[in-house]
């Protein structure tokens, strides 16, 4: 099968389309025939060597949408032919979801949404699980105020929707052209990039990874939640600082799927590329102003 890998770190030109053996599921695993897979910023980081793994051939891709092709021993809840979405967690791995087939733990998948196509569904797992976990870790009650930075990005836009659904009063921080879109997702207020909220907020969900600048928007004793491990600022003024890390969680993913099917969680696709054009997709990922998930189709 074809798989997107990187053997030497660098830019998009370092992307390789390799011919590799089709993987087989072990006990407790399923094999998915990949139809679409999200391209995330973390993939660009892996390609550039941010997460290590020098000297290895590393497979790229975390998000996947497709159908189960084979189940491993002991898997009773899934069968071949079922449409699923899933998350293949891990930065340094021999194969990722940017391939024609991928093996996942059975607990890392959920039934695919019925109301959106496979390409759109492929943008849900990593962004959705990251946003949902971050909103939960804010630990705020309904009526509390939260600022979402990078609100027009994939994680930010999902966080705006989930936070508003939880009853939080959301202020979205993004580019000036994104105001109407973010208000349509449930933001009660908007701050253009480079600005600041009118008053300190109870919490910040820092999808843009602004760090100390975002921490400064939080009231004394409030909460700051980052979305990248190791990138959060030092705590100050009694502010609780949380560094959240996503996990492959099929049950949680299924709850997000139900929100998509209910029409209360919307997904946005920026562009699609064939798997063989992965290098072009990586180059596009670095283009300023991309809105929505870039999807590879296999």
């Amino acid at each position: 099968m074809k798989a997107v890998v990187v053997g030497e770190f660098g830019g998009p030109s370092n992307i390789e389309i390799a011919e590799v053996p089709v993987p087989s599921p072990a006990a407790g695993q399923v094999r998915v025939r990949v139809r679409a897979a999200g391209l995330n910023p973390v993939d660009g980081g892996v390609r550039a060597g941010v997460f290590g793994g020098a000297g290895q051939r590393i497979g790229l891709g975390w998000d996947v949408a497709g159908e189960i092709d084979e189940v491993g021993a002991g898997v009773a809840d899934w069968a071949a032919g079922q449409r699923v979405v899933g998350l293949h967690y891990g930065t340094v791995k021999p194969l990722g979801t940017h391939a024609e087939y991928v093996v996942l733990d059975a607990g890392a998948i959920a039934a695919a949404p019925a109301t959106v196509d496979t390409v759109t569904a492929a943008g849900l797992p990593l962004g959705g699980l990251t946003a949902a976990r971050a909103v939960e870790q804010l630990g705020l009650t309904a009526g509390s105020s939260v600022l979402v930075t990078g609100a027009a990005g994939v994680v930010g836009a999902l966080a705006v929707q989930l936070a508003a659904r939880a009853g939080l009063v959301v202020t979205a921080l993004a580019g000036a052209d994104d105001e109407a879109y973010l208000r349509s997702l449930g933001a009660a207020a908007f701050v253009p990039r480079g600005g600041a909220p009118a008053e300190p907020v109870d919490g910040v969900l820092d999808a843009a990874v602004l760090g100390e600048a975002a921490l400064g928007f939080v009231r004394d004793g409030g909460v700051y939640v980052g979305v990248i491990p190791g990138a959060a600022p030092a705590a100050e003024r009694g502010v609780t600082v949380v560094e959240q890390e996503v996990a492959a969680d099929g049950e949680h993913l299924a709850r997000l799927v139900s929100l998509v099917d209910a029409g209360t969680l919307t997904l946005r696709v920026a562009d699609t590329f064939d798997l063989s054009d992965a290098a072009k997709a990586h180059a596009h990922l670095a283009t300023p102003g991309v809105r929505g998930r870039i999807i590879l189709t296999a």
Side-chain angles (χ1 to χ4, degrees):
M1 69 172 189
K2 294 178 180 178
V4 180
V5 302
V6 60
E8 295 184 4
F9 298 138
S13 62
N14 287 66
I15 293 292
E16 303 173 31
I17 309 299
E19 290 287 340
V20 301
V22 175
S24 297
Q29 296 183 323
V30 301
R31 185 170 68 201
V32 176
R33 174 60 175 97
V34 179
R35 299 302 178 183
L39 175 61
N40 293 277
V42 67
D43 295 305
V46 172
R47 184 204 70 229
V50 172
F51 304 100
Q56 303 179 46
R57 188 171 71 173
I58 302 171
L60 302 179
W62 293 51
D63 291 321
V64 64
E67 66 268 358
I68 295 174
D69 163 75
E70 184 178 340
V71 299
V75 176
D77 297 333
W78 299 103
Q82 288 181 285
R83 294 179 60 248
V84 296
V85 290
L87 180 69
H88 191 8
Y89 177 89
T91 52
V92 180
K93 54 200 177 193
L95 287 174
T97 61
H98 296 171
E100 293 179 305
Y101 293 88
V102 66
V103 167
L104 299 174
D105 291 339
I109 62 174
T115 57
V116 299
D117 61 27
T118 300
V119 167
T120 303
L124 175 64
L126 181 56
L129 289 169
T130 299
R133 185 173 173 83
V135 170
E136 290 177 356
Q137 291 186 329
L138 285 167
L140 298 174
T141 57
S144 300
S145 59
V146 61
L147 174 73
V148 178
T149 72
V154 172
V155 172
L158 291 168
V160 167
Q161 296 175 73
L162 293 168
R165 186 175 183 275
L168 303 181
V169 180
V170 180
T171 296
L173 190 156
D177 293 342
D178 296 310
E179 180 174 1
Y181 168 66
L182 292 167
R183 288 188 182 275
S184 76
L185 298 183
F190 178 81
V191 175
R193 189 180 297 116
E199 57 186 27
V201 293
D202 296 316
V204 162
L205 194 160
D206 191 15
V209 198
L210 300 182
E212 291 183 4
L215 184 69
F217 300 143
V218 184
R219 65 165 173 80
D220 293 356
V223 60
Y224 167 101
V225 176
V227 297
I228 298 179
E236 60 179 41
R237 300 180 288 105
V239 175
T240 299
V241 172
V242 180
E243 291 185 327
Q244 85 93 25
E245 184 168 4
V246 73
D249 185 338
E251 290 185 5
H252 199 170
L253 184 55
R255 295 196 293 272
L256 295 174
V257 167
S258 69
L259 295 180
V260 172
D261 281 338
T264 56
L265 188 64
T266 62
L267 305 168
R268 183 159 60 159
V269 173
D271 289 288
T272 61
F273 292 82
D274 187 81
L275 188 70
S276 61
D277 289 326
K280 293 180 181 178
H282 274 252
H284 189 51
L285 181 67
T287 303
V290 172
R291 293 288 182 263
R293 183 65 77 218
I294 296 170
I295 305 294
L296 298 179
T297 56

